Amino acid sequence: MQKGLASSRLRRYPLNNVFELIETKRDGKRLNPSQIEWFIKGATSRRIPDYQVTAMLMAIFFNGLDRDELSAWTAAMLHSGEVLDFGHLDSSVVDKHSTGGVGDKVSIPLAPLVAACGVSVPMMSGRGLGHTGGTLDKLESIPGFSTQLDSDTFKTMVATHGMVLAGQSETLVPADRLFYALRDATATVPSIPLISSSIMSKKLAEGLDALVLDVKVGSGAFMKDLGSARTLAKTMVDIGASHGVAVSALLTGMDQPLGREVGNANEIRESVEVLRGEGPADLTELVLELGAEMLLTGSAAQSREEAQDRIRSAVDSGAGLQKLADVVTAQGGDANALEDLALLPSAEENMTINADRSGIVARCDAHAIGVAAMRLGAGRETAADKVDHAVGIRVLAKIGDRVEAGEALAALSYNNPARLATATAILSEAWSIVDGPVDVPPLILETIR
Ligand code: URA
């Protein structure tokens, strides 16, 4: 009976009828490029109602998209809004995108270092949601700094300063804004074709020559295992190739937080430390590797050694820090806060989480620490929540470190005592301490090009 109903409806509908397209994907068959383009235009113009868009997203969630379909789906999303063009610039244009993690403040020191080496970086970032922080929230802890720029100001910043740090403009990839909101409400976010088309349509709309992806793997990441991270990375590299954009992906560990600081002003302080050459080893290494990859994919260096040397020189000469200060000033912020870190917001109260035994740290759970920071007020549980830029967690013991009973594992800064109890309850389970030797997980797992 179901079949009869479906086929009688089919006969009544013209080609490209929404029902027919949903049915095609529901039954695991292929959509052709013109059907995909028609569907995405209809969704973005809101001629197709949300319930049918959602049904299509669910059909893709279950049946996927093959290589050609995914390329067409991404292209149609990309062309749903404005596509930037930096063809008039002399430099190559390269961005970095991270799939998100805890303590991942890489973009903030990375963009000015790469821009100081002569590659333009139109860095479009997002806000934190759930246990992962967002670059825009971190930047907004710099007094006066504006992350919401119109499209003309965004382009002028890139032309004048060789970089910008801002949110996605309203005119870029409206299809993704709609799809992401519907996916978030209908349990269709964790799908490789939907994630990869969402990320890549936004990045391709920036008019890039090349893109470097940092695909996080581990407890604090979207992708919990290496296999799924690899598939996501390969899928995005492939989409880039089908659009003539060189994409490389570093798969990097996110079982423990990156660096030592988690929270908004906390992470600005640590970003400045990296630019001063005083950052923690893991964060500094990742900035160096991603920066070198950006110079290489942007054809601004002949070899990895040369690329790394140029990034190191931009740290040693202070050119990276100066570039960030110039951009902060141009975007309305107080660059004195990068000189005198005490000008950044700071919380009223402090406390520590202490080790209950002596030994070696075997687990320092990124997910738990990210959730605890969010509960302190550093992040959002819902998109409408306001963040507290001053609160955060300084991670004092990471995997492989030796600690004594009673020694501090983390230092919390907080404003609202009512939020503290949930955060400390989560943190009390976040570390495991053992007697024996511990394998420290590698930071960079592999590179896919
Ligand atoms: N980030 C995005 O931009 N899109 C997704 O679908 C998931 C993560």
Side-chain angles (χ1 to χ4, degrees):
M1 172 171 161
Q2 283 288 0
K3 226 168 176 248
L5 176 67
S7 49
S8 69
R9 283 223 185 146
L10 233 174
R11 275 195 300 277
R12 289 207 308 272
Y13 283 100
L15 183 72
N16 275 346
N17 177 266
V18 187
F19 178 97
E20 185 185 332
L21 299 193
I22 296 169
E23 193 177 44
T24 302
K25 199 37 38 199
R26 182 202 67 190
D27 294 346
K29 297 186 197 134
R30 294 188 67 244
L31 295 169
N32 68 42
S34 64
Q35 289 171 322
I36 288 173
E37 193 185 335
W38 182 87
F39 181 87
I40 288 184
K41 275 196 177 135
T44 312
S45 64
R46 313 308 297 270
R47 276 182 291 118
I48 301 177
D50 287 354
Y51 57 83
Q52 284 185 307
V53 177
T54 303
M56 176 64 93
L57 294 169
M58 189 60 90
I60 293 173
F61 180 90
F62 282 114
N63 290 322
L65 293 172
D66 72 16
R67 211 161 176 250
D68 294 340
E69 287 178 301
L70 185 55
S71 176
W73 183 273
T74 308
M77 285 181 72
L78 154 70
H79 292 293
S80 68
E82 185 185 10
V83 179
L84 302 182
D85 182 359
F86 291 109
H88 57 288
L89 300 181
D90 292 336
S91 58
S92 50
V93 181
V94 184
D95 195 5
K96 186 265 330 181
H97 177 83
S98 159
T99 55
V102 177
D104 182 3
K105 70 283 290 173
V106 162
S107 295
I108 300 162
L110 177 68
L113 288 170
V114 172
C117 293
V119 168
S120 295
V121 187
M123 183 78 75
M124 254 182 220
S125 305
R127 297 199 177 275
L129 187 61
H131 74 283
T132 61
T135 300
L136 299 183
D137 298 320
K138 295 169 198 178
L139 288 166
E140 286 172 0
S141 57
I142 302 172
F145 190 87
S146 169
T147 57
Q148 297 311 307
L149 307 182
D150 61 39
S151 173
D152 286 342
T153 312
F154 187 94
K155 289 184 250 183
T156 305
M157 281 294 303
V158 178
T160 312
H161 295 280
M163 66 167 280
V164 61
L165 290 163
Q168 191 188 335
S169 85
E170 288 289 307
T171 50
L172 238 78
V173 197
D176 184 61
R177 230 185 312 278
L178 172 68
F179 291 173
Y180 199 88
L182 295 175
R183 287 167 58 208
D184 205 24
T186 57
T188 45
V189 170
S191 143
I192 287 193
L194 295 178
I195 294 172
S196 54
S197 56
S198 163
I199 293 174
M200 290 303 293
S201 59
K202 287 178 287 199
K203 292 290 136 186
L204 294 170
E206 289 178 15
L208 304 176
D209 297 311
L211 171 67
V212 175
L213 296 165
D214 180 3
V215 179
K216 301 283 186 203
V217 192
S219 87
F222 222 10
M223 299 288 143
K224 306 288 180 206
D225 64 278
L226 189 58
S228 45
R230 206 178 265 145
T231 307
L232 177 64
K234 283 191 174 141
T235 306
M236 292 194 283
V237 169
D238 254 18
I239 294 175
S242 70
H243 286 83
V245 173
V247 179
S248 49
L250 271 65
L251 270 51
T252 70
M254 189 31 75
D255 279 323
Q256 59 179 343
L258 183 62
R260 297 207 170 263
E261 301 288 353
V262 180
N264 298 296
N266 291 43
E267 295 192 43
I268 294 292
R269 278 186 213 106
E270 195 169 53
S271 301
V272 171
E273 285 164 14
V274 171
L275 289 168
R276 288 178 181 163
E278 297 161 2
D282 60 345
L283 176 61
T284 301
E285 181 189 344
L286 190 53
V287 169
L288 181 68
E289 289 303 325
L290 289 166
E293 193 68 27
M294 288 173 80
L295 296 192
L296 281 171
T297 53
S299 309
Q302 304 304 316
S303 66
R304 175 156 302 278
E305 293 66 37
E306 183 201 336
Q308 289 177 338
D309 281 349
R310 292 187 59 194
I311 298 286
R312 278 195 208 97
S313 305
V315 174
D316 296 342
S317 67
L321 186 55
Q322 184 58 51
K323 178 64 77 181
L324 182 62
D326 293 346
V327 166
V328 165
T329 304
Q331 292 186 219
D334 180 2
N336 292 323
L338 306 180
E339 279 280 309
D340 178 2
L341 297 175
L343 295 175
L344 292 168
S346 61
E348 303 197 338
E349 307 287 343
N350 296 289
M351 65 143 335
T352 57
I353 300 288
N354 300 329
D356 56 7
R357 55 161 291 181
S358 300
I360 311 289
V361 175
R363 188 176 64 94
C364 167
D365 190 336
H367 182 263
I369 294 169
V371 172
M374 175 186 74
R375 293 278 153 78
L376 283 180
R380 296 181 181 79
E381 276 169 82
T382 73
D385 290 349
K386 260 180 86 74
V387 302
D388 182 342
H389 293 105
V391 302
I393 299 171
R394 182 167 170 76
V395 179
L396 299 169
K398 293 183 63 170
I399 299 174
D401 289 347
R402 162 130 207 123
V403 292
E404 302 305 324
E407 190 179 327
L409 300 172
L412 279 60
S413 16
Y414 64 99
N415 283 323
N416 180 346
R419 289 179 166 273
L420 188 64
T422 23
T424 52
I426 295 164
L427 289 173
S428 67
E429 304 288 322
W431 278 262
S432 302
I433 300 169
V434 299
D435 292 326
V438 160
D439 287 334
V440 178
L443 177 63
I444 298 175
L445 305 165
E446 59 189 64
T447 303
I448 293 174
R449 293 189 183 89

